[in-house]
Amino acid sequence: SGEPIIGENPTVAPLDRVRVDASDQVLTTNQGVAVADNQHSLKIGLRGPTAMEDFILREKLTHFDHERIPERVVHARGSAAHGYFETYESLTDITRANLFSEAGKRTPVFVRFSTVAGERGSADTVRDVRGFAVKFYTDEGNWDLVGNNIPVFFIQDAMKFPDVVHAVKPEPHHAMPQASSAHDTFWDFVSLTPESTHMLLWQMSDRAIPRSYRTMQGFGVHTFRLVNAAGESVFCKFHWTPLAGTHSLVWDEAVKISGADPDFHRRDLWEAIEAGEFPEWELGLQLFTEEQANSFPFDVLDPTKIVPEELVPVTRVGKMTLNRNPDNFFAETEQVAFCTAHIVPGIDFTNDPLLQGRIHSYLDTQLTRLGGPNFHEIPINSPIVPVFNNQRDGFHRQAIHRGRVNYEPNSLAGGCPFQAGIAGFSSFPETITEDKVRGKPELFADHYSQARLFWQSQSVAEQLHIIAAFRFELSRVQFPAIRQRVLSLLVNVDPILAEGVADGLGIDLPAPAPLATNLPTPNYEPSPALSLLAR
Ligand code: HEM
């Protein structure tokens, strides 16, 4: 029993203290009283009514009546596994984050993969984005890298997130369709939101029907900051690359598997780990300075853009191995709470307006989903380092805080921790001298250059799959105006793509959607990349 040994420094999540094995034990009530008969309720005569005093029956039914918690508002369907991350070499010149401090350092992780739109019991192989959320239990607290298998997103600003999710979820009047993007509301929204064009290309590509969670890439999507001990900062994009290769299904396979085995990805991950075929990913970083970022033909704060590898290469800095299945789906996979606000010293946010909204949303939703402010004490969410602060009480409090002092400043002895000063987390002191406004930077308005870049990066077979996916999805859209608007976005990406889709739908090509910018089309010629790791 116990956590698997993960290496020479087996730092592990302390789950042992809460593991329960009831084999060969007497059945008890929740108060520990042994139950004589678990088959029959207490009745007034064998054919009479049940006695109100049957506290054993009432406890059993009451617990059952409350066994469900709300599913996640997005990413409800998921599967997870434990493992570890191992750093290849010290990155202390780039980040003070301890998990990257020395070659060979191992950090336990819990990783949850998910679909986005479907409900908790929906099928795995639908066309959808996949979540790729990693919780690192570092020795300086938890760091969550809450990413997706596609490196860009539908929208540029958190203000639009509830709208895109309402559009993608089943329609509110009849709750159809389940787990599919093929419906009017989704295409209505994206056709009116040209910034989603790049993401649409990825979503209609084979990337949205992965072969296995084990063969998916993962991306942090946003630009983050890394900060070293001297307070110097560089921008960073995070990439996970599966060592088994990146593989997808084809549409006909995905549709058949959806019916034949809705648990296809969950089963594949579980069985691979049980068989000792541990899935592995390398973590890659794209590192670039603020000066470089200013020279790019796009804004690095725009989450609908990638940083092309021709501009900044990806440097592999470590490897993640998943080597143990959860003991209990609800306790671990369902109760795990990832949050973009969970960062550690050496890692920081940027002003990406989508990321900024996410920093709020995860904790907020989890207050409802996990029942109050103490869900960080649920074992799967607890850091491996101790937690000391003056946050007290609330529903389901586990810790018993000692001492009379739970406030600061104080002069009385007992109970109050002290702040860490420079040893603790402090935000990167970015200088900002701008007006407080609503709106977006000019470069955010180029919606098509990178969509075209992605289209051009695809092989002919992959391009045909994209055309077929648009044809299938749009053929199910009832309103001709919506189809026309999507096509007018595609005309701006590539004529062959737009004509291929229009032909399949039997309609004429519309005029291109008006460009929201007069900027020249960016030039993605490779420029000499500054490799901060070259030393
Ligand atoms: C889950 C909000 C954008 C990846 C969630 C949840 C919320 C949320 C409320 C449910 C969390 C829970 O119940 O535990 C938002 C908002 C966004 C946004 C407000 C934009 C403003 C993104 C983006 C990504 C992403 C851009 C990818 C980079 C995920 C993942 C999960 C998730 C992977 C599932 C985590 C898990 O496995 O438990 N999001 N999200 N989200 N989100 Fe986002």
Side-chain angles (χ1 to χ4, degrees), residues 193-207:
T193 310
E195 70 206 47
S196 64
T197 308
H198 187 192
M199 179 73 165
L200 278 183
L201 269 271
W202 283 82
Q203 205 198 1
M204 294 304 115
S205 81
D206 298 343
R207 294 300 183 114

Side-chain angles (χ1 to χ4, degrees), residues 72 74-75 112 147-148 161 221 338 358 361-362 366 369:
R72 289 169 177 80
V74 281
H75 296 262
R112 183 174 180 272
N148 280 341
F161 189 73
V221 175
F338 295 94
R358 295 181 72 198
S361 218
Y362 290 75
Q366 288 151 3
R369 185 168 77 77

Side-chain angles (χ1 to χ4, degrees), residues 257-372:
I257 295 169
S258 253
D261 184 5
D263 299 313
F264 188 70
H265 287 156
R266 179 174 291 178
R267 189 185 312 289
D268 171 81
L269 181 66
W270 179 277
E271 289 180 351
I273 292 174
E274 290 299 297
E277 292 288 326
F278 299 144
E280 295 172 322
W281 287 261
E282 280 187 315
L283 179 67
L285 309 181
Q286 276 180 302
L287 299 168
F288 47 100
T289 63
E290 192 146 1
E291 292 68 47
Q292 274 181 297
N294 292 339
S295 74
F296 295 154
F298 53 87
D299 196 320
V300 299
L301 302 183
D302 174 355
T304 68
K305 307 291 195 308
I306 60 164
V307 175
E309 290 182 39
E310 291 80 357
L311 295 179
V312 181
V314 177
T315 307
R316 313 261 176 119
V317 298
K319 190 175 77 173
M320 178 170 77
T321 306
L322 298 183
N323 61 0
R324 184 166 63 84
N325 282 313
D327 288 311
N328 182 286
F329 185 89
F330 179 83
E332 300 172 77
T333 309
E334 197 60 15
Q335 291 199 114
V336 67
F338 295 94
C339 179
T340 44
H342 296 168
I343 53 172
V344 290
I347 301 172
D348 210 337
F349 312 119
T350 59
N351 301 327
D352 174 337
L354 193 69
L355 174 60
Q356 293 279 316
R358 295 181 72 198
I359 295 166
H360 161 78
S361 218
Y362 290 75
L363 169 68
D364 184 41
T365 193
Q366 288 151 3
L367 287 173
T368 300
R369 185 168 77 77
L370 298 170

Side-chain angles (χ1 to χ4, degrees), residues 203-251:
Q203 205 198 1
M204 294 304 115
S205 81
D206 298 343
R207 294 300 183 114
I209 40 173
R211 158 73 181 76
S212 156
Y213 289 138
R214 297 184 287 143
T215 59
M216 287 190 331
Q217 281 188 294
F219 303 94
V221 175
H222 313 281
T223 301
F224 289 85
R225 272 186 190 282
L226 297 183
V227 188
N228 67 15
E232 296 157 346
S233 166
V234 287
F235 287 136
C236 177
K237 289 267 192 187
F238 293 107
H239 297 243
W240 291 110
T241 305
L243 291 187
T246 303
H247 304 288
S248 294
L249 298 168
V250 293
W251 177 241

Side-chain angles (χ1 to χ4, degrees), residues 42-44 49-55 57-58:
L42 183 67
K43 302 177 202 74
I44 315 302
T50 301
M52 182 80 168
E53 76 169 55
D54 190 352
F55 66 94
L57 169 71
R58 283 171 50 205

Side-chain angles (χ1 to χ4, degrees), residues 379-453:
I380 195 67
N381 295 323
S382 297
I384 56 170
V385 288
V387 173
F388 299 113
N389 57 45
N390 291 325
Q391 295 164 25
R392 299 288 153 99
D393 307 347
F395 283 115
H396 315 306
R397 194 45 147 166
Q398 309 285 308
I400 302 174
H401 295 107
R402 306 181 78 187
R404 67 192 292 204
V405 178
N406 59 358
Y407 57 88
E408 264 201 310
N410 65 69
S411 68
L412 301 175
C416 182
F418 57 90
Q419 64 189 30
I422 54 165
F425 180 87
S426 51
S427 298
F428 179 72
E430 184 183 2
T431 306
I432 302 175
T433 48
E434 301 228 25
D435 295 343
K436 190 193 289 180
V437 287
R438 293 186 191 273
K440 60 181 173 187
E442 192 182 7
L443 282 178
F444 276 44
D446 170 21
H447 305 313
Y448 305 109
S449 305
Q450 288 210 353
R452 189 174 314 122
L453 191 70

